[in-house]
């Protein structure tokens, strides 16, 4: 990943066993490399228009105020900018 930062708000260090909440930033030109989780992942876009790629053929552009959830076991990546 590049241009990505995350600040944990709720996780195992705060006593959570099955849930995590964080505030993330993806800078212009940044990306989150393709990855898989064994759990659902959700996000809410505060500003900007990141592109979520679930498969090579189907990029999906989010806009400000968009929220989405991805299923457990799905491969995904995200990028901001071209």
């Amino acid at each position: 990943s590049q241009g990505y930062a995350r600040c944990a708000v709720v996780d195992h260090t705060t006593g959570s066993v099955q849930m995590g909440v964080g505030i993330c930033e993806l800078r212009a030109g940044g990306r989150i490399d393709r990855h898989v989780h064994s759990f659902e992942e959700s996000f809410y876009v505060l500003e900007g228009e990141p592109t979520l790629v679930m498969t090579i053929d189907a990029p999906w552009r989010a806009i400000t105020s968009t929220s989405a959830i991805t299923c457990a076991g799905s491969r995904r990546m995200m990028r901001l900018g071209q």
Side-chain angles (χ1 to χ4, degrees):
S1 297
Q2 179 180 334
Y4 171 74
R6 183 177 192 279
C7 175
V9 177
V10 175
D11 64 9
H12 68 282
T13 65
T14 60
S16 179
V17 177
Q18 297 185 11
M19 187 180 102
V21 176
I23 299 171
C24 303
E25 177 185 23
L26 186 59
R27 294 181 194 93
R31 71 177 192 287
I32 300 171
D33 294 333
R34 189 169 297 276
H35 62 284
V36 176
H37 291 296
S38 60
F39 50 83
E40 293 84 10
E41 185 174 43
S42 63
F43 65 90
Y44 180 83
V45 178
L46 294 173
E47 66 180 61
E49 295 185 359
T51 300
L52 177 66
V53 181
M54 298 297 288
T55 66
I56 299 300
D57 314 335
W60 177 72
R61 177 155 292 220
I63 59 171
T64 300
S65 299
T66 295
S67 61
I69 187 166
T70 59
C71 298
S74 61
R75 295 181 53 189
R76 56 196 167 268
M77 64 176 279
M78 191 176 289
R79 65 178 179 257
L80 189 56
Q82 300 297 332

